[in-house]
Amino acid sequence: MKASTRVQLSIMMFLEFFIWGGWFVTMGTFLAKSFSATGGQMAMAYETQSIGAIVAPFIIGLIADRYFSAQKILGVLHLLGAGLLYMAGSSDNFDAFYPYILIYMILYMPTLALVNSVAFRQMKDPAKDFALIRVLGTVGWIVAGLVIGFLAWESDNVLQNTFMMAAGAAALLGIFSFTLPDTPPVVDKSEKVTVRDILGLDALGMLKDKKYLVFFIASILICIPLAFYYQHANQYLNELGMEGAAGKMTFGQMSEIAFMLLLPIFLKKYGIKMTLLVGMIAWVVRYLLFAYGDAGENTWMLIFGIILHGICYDFFFVSGQIYTDFKAGEKFKSSAQGLITLATYGLGMLVGFRLAGYITDLNAIAEGGHNWFGIWVLPAGIAGAVFIFFLIAFKNEKIEVKE
């Protein structure tokens, strides 16, 4: 790969995740402070991610893979997204805000596949090159959080600025996308495509394998407690009075990079079952730390809970993608990854966001704030139940991990 192409792809990944990290983490705090939003309304806002994840395969399968170059669709989607983010940040009530963020996420979620497509098509050896490009996305998410923390937008109650910042970055990426290497369609537009192809349903045959079925069910269930963190962690930290909460939450992405490097070693030494179990138990520990932590002498609990994100995400979700790739075989690799993504980020987190909103409303305090202990012990309990189910039901197997 040419050095100039590597730089282009790195900038693309940086901006792609800078945009998402720039508003998604603090949206719950924004909605609470600006619109006095209920937990149910926050659930509606956050579950737009799941709706986008469900719709994304149709946009990619019916349009991007058949009619237009990926980088051009990427550019158009981000330019439209810039306008939607600006309007969302300019809204003065939740009813005005919600349609903009819903349409935005329906347009944004397909771009996650598009940036991967653009990157993979320029690489002779994706196994070697992709991680070095993709890590810039995590850096982009980290930088977005650090900017929010440094400018004190949370404490100054001006989180609408996060949407303006993300809108500017989206406009920049939209224009920049048209300069990316050409990535033409790979599917003949005359070729028949079915809903089964788009949703990866050909991979459903994998569920006949009892081991994979147990993993598949556990993946959906573990996404229910995962949604509590995405939806309420920043709101929780701000209610406790933690300074620069968004900046401190980037410790999670920093640990994600570190544990990504440790994952192949751990997988090779301890196997897939132990790796997945460590990922699950980390969710239990994280939520218990949040339940008992505070912004005083127990601040270390909150920081440690944030840092556990690397284990929570890498040791379950990334290792799960590796396991899915191993079980799928050559024929169903793409459809299998599409199916597990649809099941987790679509179905699992959709249920999780809605449940998190309901539980948060139940634990609202009349004079303001929430009983956060009551909120965090529930996802800890769910994650613990999934851990026990997986420990008992999943039989270990040896998988090959490519270096």
Side-chain angles (χ1 to χ4, degrees):
M1 187 193 307
K2 294 189 298 184
S4 59
T5 301
R6 185 180 295 278
V7 170
Q8 283 182 299
L9 297 179
S10 297
I11 293 173
M12 174 189 73
M13 283 294 183
F14 178 91
L15 290 173
E16 175 74 14
F17 288 90
F18 178 90
I19 294 165
W20 196 4
W23 64 271
F24 190 76
V25 173
T26 56
M27 180 170 65
T29 304
F30 167 74
L31 294 175
K33 289 185 176 181
S34 299
F35 306 147
S36 299
T38 65
Q41 288 175 321
M42 289 185 198
M44 288 176 62
Y46 273 98
E47 69 190 24
T48 58
Q49 172 194 280
S50 299
I51 296 170
I54 293 170
V55 174
F58 291 94
I59 294 178
I60 299 300
L62 293 175
I63 302 175
D65 284 346
R66 299 166 66 80
Y67 295 104
F68 303 100
S69 294
Q71 83 281 359
K72 293 179 180 178
I73 300 179
L74 183 67
V76 170
L77 292 179
H78 276 301
L79 288 174
L80 291 172
L84 290 165
L85 284 172
Y86 178 83
M87 294 303 296
S90 302
S91 301
D92 55 10
N93 60 73
F94 182 81
D95 289 339
F97 171 86
Y98 179 73
Y100 292 122
I101 213 64
L102 173 62
I103 299 170
Y104 175 75
M105 285 307 275
I106 289 173
L107 297 182
Y108 177 81
M109 293 306 286
T111 68
L112 297 173
L114 289 170
V115 292
N116 287 346
S117 179
V118 171
F120 280 128
R121 293 275 291 280
Q122 316 311 317
M123 297 174 183
K124 293 181 180 179
D125 185 2
K128 176 183 176 183
D129 295 332
F130 183 70
L132 297 176
I133 299 295
R134 174 58 182 83
V135 74
L136 266 295
T138 304
V139 172
W141 188 291
I142 291 170
V143 171
L146 292 175
V147 168
I148 295 169
F150 178 76
L151 296 177
W153 285 344
E154 293 159 291
S155 58
D156 292 345
N157 196 22
V158 287
L159 282 173
Q160 65 269 22
N161 290 349
T162 63
F163 292 92
M164 305 307 171
M165 176 181 73
L172 178 61
L173 180 53
I175 296 169
F176 181 74
S177 294
F178 291 98
T179 71
L180 292 169
D182 189 33
T183 312
V186 294
V187 178
D188 190 329
K189 61 184 178 183
S190 63
E191 184 177 327
K192 185 178 179 181
V193 63
T194 65
V195 172
R196 185 180 183 87
D197 297 327
I198 291 171
L199 297 181
L201 299 184
D202 284 333
L204 281 174
M206 294 171 60
L207 301 184
K208 295 177 183 178
D209 182 322
K210 184 180 178 181
K211 293 176 184 176
Y212 191 77
L213 176 61
V214 170
F215 163 75
F216 188 81
I217 294 171
S219 296
I220 295 173
L221 294 177
I222 204 68
C223 279
I224 296 173
L226 168 63
F228 279 75
Y229 179 77
Y230 285 151
Q231 186 163 302
H232 292 298
N234 185 262
Q235 178 192 6
Y236 163 63
L237 297 176
N238 275 284
E239 279 196 17
L240 290 186
M242 177 179 280
E243 299 243 341
K248 290 183 174 66
M249 286 182 71
T250 64
F251 295 161
Q253 279 65 48
M254 295 176 192
S255 76
E256 184 183 326
I257 296 173
F259 283 108
M260 189 77 77
L261 299 175
L262 294 175
L263 179 60
I265 301 170
F266 197 94
L267 266 173
K268 188 172 183 179
K269 185 171 183 179
Y270 296 105
I272 187 66
K273 181 175 182 177
M274 182 59 69
T275 303
L276 293 168
L277 285 171
V278 168
M280 281 188 255
I281 200 65
W283 284 106
V284 179
V285 175
R286 158 182 269 182
Y287 288 131
L288 290 177
L289 287 168
F290 277 13
Y292 288 98
D294 56 54
E297 62 181 18
N298 290 324
T299 300
W300 68 270
M301 291 185 176
L302 307 180
I303 299 299
F304 188 46
I306 292 170
I307 292 172
L308 278 174
H309 178 77
I311 300 177
C312 293
Y313 186 82
D314 293 340
F315 276 53
F316 190 85
F317 289 97
V318 177
S319 62
Q321 291 165 1
I322 293 170
Y323 181 59
T324 296
D325 183 78
F326 169 76
K327 298 293 283 187
E330 290 300 324
K331 186 176 181 181
F332 297 121
K333 283 188 185 296
S334 295
S335 57
Q337 294 292 348
L339 180 63
I340 194 67
T341 300
L342 186 70
T344 53
Y345 285 95
L347 177 60
M349 291 192 70
L350 187 65
V351 173
F353 285 133
R354 187 55 59 94
L355 179 62
Y358 174 74
I359 295 301
T360 303
D361 280 341
L362 284 182
N363 285 276
I365 300 172
E367 58 270 22
H370 296 84
N371 170 25
W372 286 106
F373 179 86
I375 294 171
W376 293 125
V377 292
L378 180 66
I382 296 173
V386 178
F387 173 86
I388 294 170
F389 161 72
F390 192 78
L391 176 65
I392 296 171
F394 186 81
K395 305 301 181 184
N396 198 22
E397 64 180 309
K398 184 176 178 60
I399 67 170
E400 295 181 10
V401 182
K402 294 181 180 178
E403 295 298 331

